[in-house]
Amino acid sequence: MDTHPHYGFCQGQGLDQGVTPVNGKAIDYPSDHQVPEHSHPTAQLIHAVQGVMVVATGDSRWIVPPTRGLWMPADTRHRLRMVGDVKVRTVYIRPDASEHLPTACCVVGVSPLLRELILAAIKVQQPYAPDSRDGRLMSLLLDEVAVLPHLPLCLPQPSDPELLALCETLLAAPDDDSTLSGWAAQLGVDARTIQRRFARQTGMTFGQWRQQARLITALEQLAGGAKVIDVALNLGYNSPSAFATMFKRQFGTTPSAYFR
């Protein structure tokens, strides 16, 4: 399996240059491998059949577990970090390939059908004829991309230096239970001011952002093999059941079942 850095291989071989409307690529990465910041002239659906990816752009961070994918519009600068050994199966899509492509970065659900289409697209010999079997396969893949369900696995990053420092502290210590009033006192501003700034820059309240940060941290730790009880304690929950309740409310399944 090719293990060249993802961005270098694609730029060097032209797989992401939009010669045809859709092109696929398979590549395996070792645990903790990092792909430096880069971009593609095509849109990209990044999917891992094994392992978890942490993907970051300038203002957001996403956790992408198996059964999920990340939609990345063309020319979006991004970087990746692998949690565990990761088998990436990615598809490059020319922006003019469909009128119904997502317009912003988002984590999406990958249905069994779309997963199989991605795996099939990787095997298609390029270039392909639009009216061939391969062309129809790629057309069906585009139809599936158009109806992808968006999932709440994004953690927006504020641009305000004070808020950013606060957020980085919370990410480094997810069990920190300091109140908004306590943070306001440290920053020397009114709590309502912080709340307004949070809402304006992240689209979330302080409490919502902290819970989302804990959820994303939980996914990353679970993907790395941590036990549910240890993750719960690491995040500041008094019991695994309290953590499991919050997790299931957000993702529709228990922490122990999420990666099965």
Side-chain angles (χ1 to χ4, degrees):
M1 178 67 69
D2 185 350
T3 55
H4 291 303
H6 188 195
Y7 73 109
F9 180 89
C10 296
Q11 289 176 344
Q13 299 297 323
L15 296 181
D16 66 344
Q17 299 300 305
V19 175
T20 54
V22 183
N23 208 334
K25 170 66 179 172
I27 188 166
D28 295 352
Y29 290 111
S31 182
D32 296 324
H33 182 86
Q34 298 190 36
V35 179
E37 187 174 74
H38 64 286
S39 64
H40 307 279
T42 51
Q44 185 180 15
L45 177 60
I46 311 171
H47 174 56
V49 295
Q50 174 186 306
V52 172
M53 298 173 287
V54 179
V55 186
T57 62
D59 58 359
S60 294
R61 179 172 174 260
W62 290 267
I63 186 90
V64 190
T67 75
R68 308 292 188 260
L70 181 69
W71 177 259
M72 186 72 61
D75 299 318
T76 302
R77 298 199 65 77
H78 58 287
R79 59 190 184 277
L80 300 89
R81 177 168 59 85
M82 310 303 160
V83 180
D85 293 335
V86 179
K87 296 181 181 296
V88 175
R89 305 297 180 258
T90 193
V91 177
Y92 301 97
I93 299 177
R94 206 166 61 200
D96 64 353
S98 170
E99 297 178 354
H100 307 292
L101 300 177
T103 58
C105 292
C106 53
V107 173
V108 296
V110 175
S111 67
L113 173 58
L114 180 57
R115 174 190 167 99
E116 293 304 318
L117 288 169
I118 292 171
L119 296 178
I122 290 166
K123 299 176 183 178
V124 169
Q125 294 295 314
Q126 299 285 338
Y128 57 85
D131 60 350
S132 65
R133 173 193 177 276
D134 290 340
R136 289 187 290 274
L137 185 151
M138 298 304 203
S139 180
L140 179 56
L141 187 151
L142 290 173
D143 287 342
E144 287 300 296
V145 167
V147 296
L148 290 174
H150 296 192
L151 303 169
L153 290 174
C154 174
L155 191 66
Q157 302 294 300
S159 57
D160 181 292
E162 288 185 332
L163 291 187
L164 184 59
L166 188 162
C167 289
E168 289 175 345
T169 299
L170 292 176
L171 283 171
D175 60 339
D176 186 299
D177 61 356
S178 301
T179 64
L180 181 60
S181 297
W183 281 108
Q186 289 188 45
L187 297 175
V189 296
D190 184 77
R192 287 174 294 184
T193 300
I194 292 185
Q195 196 71 280
R196 285 195 298 270
R197 287 159 64 184
F198 245 100
R200 184 170 61 248
Q201 295 200 16
T202 69
M204 299 178 174
T205 66
F206 171 80
Q208 290 170 336
W209 193 95
R210 177 158 61 183
Q211 177 171 292
Q212 188 76 344
R214 285 174 171 170
L215 281 168
I216 287 178
T217 300
L219 286 177
E220 187 171 342
Q221 292 183 4
L222 289 168
K227 295 180 180 178
V228 173
I229 186 171
D230 293 331
V231 174
L233 295 175
N234 290 343
L235 300 186
Y237 286 89
N238 294 325
S239 68
S241 60
F243 164 63
T245 297
M246 182 276 298
F247 190 98
K248 187 172 184 179
R249 185 167 58 244
Q250 186 74 0
F251 296 123
T253 188
T254 62
S256 58
Y258 190 82
F259 290 103
R260 290 178 185 168

